[in-house]
Amino acid sequence: MTTFVPEPHLLDSPRGRDWAPAPVSAPRAVSADAVPATADVVIVGAGPAGLATASALWHLGVHDVVLLDRDGRPCGRFFERIDTLKQRVLRSPYEHHPGVEGYRDCELLDFARLNWSRLTPVERREIRMAQAGHRSVVPVDVFEAYCRHVATLHHVDEHTWRADVRDVRPTADAVTVHADGISVTAPYAVLCLGEERRTAPGDWWEGDSVPPGVSYWDEPVPQDAEHLTVIGAGLSAAHLIANALGDGKRVHWIVRAAEERYQCADVNASFFRAEGRARFDGTSWEDRLTLMGGQRRASVMFEFRPRMQAAEADGRLIVHRGRAVTGLLPERAGRVAVRLSDGERVVADHAVLALGTAVSSGDRLLPAGVAAARDGWPDLDEKTLAFRNAPRVFAVGAAAGMVLGPAARNIDGHRVATARVATAVAVGLQESSGRRGTDDRVMAGV
């Protein structure tokens, strides 16, 4: 069998280009006077899932929306993490983009073509590949400009405030969302919480603090670290390794599995289609867990493989396969040793933990027992993605994985989830206000 390996230069795209001007508001400060006390919907989190949700609600005539986000800008934290890793292209293809299912807004591929003069020859070729129905990679620069376009088109900037939400309190007829010094009450709330970095096991070191010489994947790597150890097998680990090799550093790569896993998408493409999501319908919880466990494994884009293989062949990259980490210990001169399960110690100037992410189920914000988290997954209504114990609160994003499958965490999965949630919210608001049949698209579903 012949395997096609995309060329590594596809990973390189310019960053920080001057795009067509789009008015983007600065992060709004949080004060009791600045944020409305009431709204029709409160969205917690303004990442790609929050942006998609707000855009869908706008199309359904729901404009009284408040988005509360730690960064205060639509997708701001998303791109901060990407830039920390110096990532230049996305894994998602052109057809996966923030937007609204069922409406013909200017989509990502349209937007890229409209900005043809700003693109490199390689980027233009990728667009032609997408138009022909083939897999293509999307530049981060294009994607960020498109997210600004979507936020402007649907007035999302105007409804976004910077706030660190502490508490979400549902009642029988409303939901109140609390942040420092503010509270917003609405008939409905949508949690677009995304995923947080997975922390190291508690027995890897003594005490609660991360030891000197160790950091996580979403933190800057010290420039003076000439010898790096990267722990993890996913795309974040690959970017860390590629950055270090590009800077002339030597790298140890610790992979718990017997070998690295290279593939185009982070989950099988079939799960992005209706028939793939249908594999979850009517199946047992145990079967869903098995599917999720098999599909959410760490993997790296194929484009990295030639560079990794070349670096390993010339000794700049040493890969430790099939061995687990049992501890991290400080060494002399600020160095750090990583202890492996076979007793080997890998010593470097700095160690970076790229251990993946964990789903935010909402249990930290909702009252005890409301999320009813099981194996880390919230208990959601299969049709509307509302929390069964709080039907006025919905989840969009990775938290919907046990309903929609592994694609729920991806951008295209957000669009599927948003279609269900926005429709349920719009219908509920119509019914509560006594309006009937004002928009057939709402009543029929997006």
Side-chain angles (χ1 to χ4, degrees):
M1 182 179 69
T2 301
T3 301
F4 170 71
V5 178
E7 300 171 4
H9 69 258
L10 295 179
L11 296 168
D12 303 322
S13 279
R15 191 79 173 97
R17 279 168 279 191
D18 182 25
W19 298 93
V24 178
S25 60
R28 298 171 187 255
V30 174
S31 72
D33 296 330
V35 183
T38 61
D40 282 339
V41 187
V42 181
I43 300 173
V44 181
L51 176 59
T53 302
S55 301
L57 288 168
W58 184 88
H59 273 288
L60 296 179
V62 182
H63 300 157
D64 186 12
V65 175
V66 169
L67 290 92
L68 300 177
D69 181 81
R70 275 181 286 182
D71 183 83
R73 295 171 297 154
C75 299
R77 188 163 176 256
F78 176 81
F79 288 108
E80 284 177 4
R81 284 178 158 185
I82 281 177
D83 285 336
T84 297
L85 289 170
K86 299 179 181 179
Q87 183 175 343
R88 294 296 178 258
V89 299
L90 293 180
R91 194 170 204 162
S92 298
Y94 269 99
E95 60 264 31
H96 296 176
H97 58 85
V100 185
E101 204 72 35
Y103 292 90
R104 298 304 300 174
D105 283 343
C106 174
E107 297 184 353
L108 180 57
L109 189 58
D110 303 323
F111 180 84
R113 293 171 61 203
L114 286 170
N115 288 278
W116 189 262
S117 63
R118 294 177 170 86
L119 305 181
T120 68
V122 171
E123 293 168 341
R124 293 175 184 177
R125 190 188 69 177
E126 289 297 291
I127 287 177
R128 294 188 183 101
M129 292 280 286
Q131 288 178 301
H134 301 297
R135 176 187 177 268
S136 59
V137 298
V138 178
V140 167
D141 224 37
V142 173
F143 190 77
E144 182 179 29
Y146 177 75
C147 287
R148 290 200 301 267
H149 165 81
V150 172
T152 301
L153 186 68
H154 301 96
H155 304 277
V156 178
D157 289 316
E158 303 168 18
H159 298 276
T160 303
W161 281 266
R162 181 170 53 204
D164 194 354
V165 173
R166 305 292 187 187
D167 186 53
V168 176
R169 291 281 166 177
T171 63
D173 55 2
V175 184
T176 300
V177 177
H178 298 278
D180 291 338
I182 67 166
S183 65
V184 184
T185 300
Y188 298 100
V190 184
L191 305 187
C192 302
L193 305 178
E195 300 175 75
E196 299 296 333
R197 69 185 184 197
R198 191 178 298 278
T199 57
D203 59 357
W204 276 15
W205 56 71
E206 295 182 358
D208 296 330
S209 301
V210 177
V214 179
S215 63
Y216 282 94
W217 60 270
D218 55 352
E219 299 171 326
V221 176
Q223 289 298 312
D224 58 353
E226 295 298 325
H227 194 169
L228 202 66
T229 297
V230 177
I231 303 170
L235 190 57
S236 296
H239 280 292
L240 290 163
I241 293 166
N243 295 338
L245 293 173
D247 290 338
K249 305 178 190 295
R250 294 182 64 242
V251 183
H252 285 273
W253 187 12
I254 300 175
V255 181
R256 184 174 55 183
E259 61 182 4
E260 309 93 294
R261 186 187 188 203
Y262 290 98
Q263 62 182 39
C264 294
D266 58 348
V267 298
N268 188 293
S270 66
F271 286 99
F272 291 104
R273 297 188 289 269
E275 61 268 26
R277 295 191 296 273
R279 292 172 65 180
F280 274 61
D281 294 339
T283 59
S284 69
W285 184 266
E286 290 70 24
D287 288 343
R288 296 186 189 198
L289 280 178
T290 299
L291 275 171
M292 293 296 285
Q295 294 297 326
R296 282 175 56 89
R297 292 157 48 207
S299 64
V300 177
M301 292 169 64
F302 271 120
E303 286 84 352
F304 280 94
R305 190 159 74 175
R307 291 181 178 177
M308 299 297 200
Q309 290 176 336
E312 188 175 9
D314 64 24
R316 292 178 295 132
L317 173 64
I318 300 172
V319 186
H320 304 266
R321 299 177 176 89
R323 282 176 283 181
V325 173
T326 60
L328 289 89
L329 306 169
E331 290 279 313
R332 294 178 180 176
R335 307 190 85 200
V336 61
V338 179
R339 186 175 62 236
L340 303 181
S341 53
D342 61 357
E344 182 181 357
R345 288 162 54 93
V346 178
V347 181
D349 298 325
H350 194 82
V352 186
L353 309 180
L355 308 178
T357 56
V359 174
S360 296
S361 67
D363 58 342
R364 295 184 180 180
L365 298 180
L366 292 164
V370 170
R374 180 182 177 189
D375 299 312
W377 300 97
D379 185 16
L380 303 177
D381 181 272
E382 299 274 328
K383 293 183 178 180
T384 65
L385 302 182
F387 287 82
R388 293 187 193 276
N389 293 339
R392 290 184 174 273
V393 183
F394 300 81
V396 173
M402 287 298 277
V403 177
L404 299 179
R409 71 193 295 256
N410 298 79
I411 292 163
D412 207 49
H414 297 164
R415 296 172 69 192
V416 175
T418 290
R420 299 189 187 187
V421 170
T423 300
V425 169
V427 169
L429 290 170
Q430 284 186 1
E431 291 178 344
S432 64
S433 66
R435 290 176 289 167
R436 294 292 187 273
T438 57
D439 192 335
D440 292 337
R441 294 170 300 181
V442 173
M443 304 309 295
V446 180

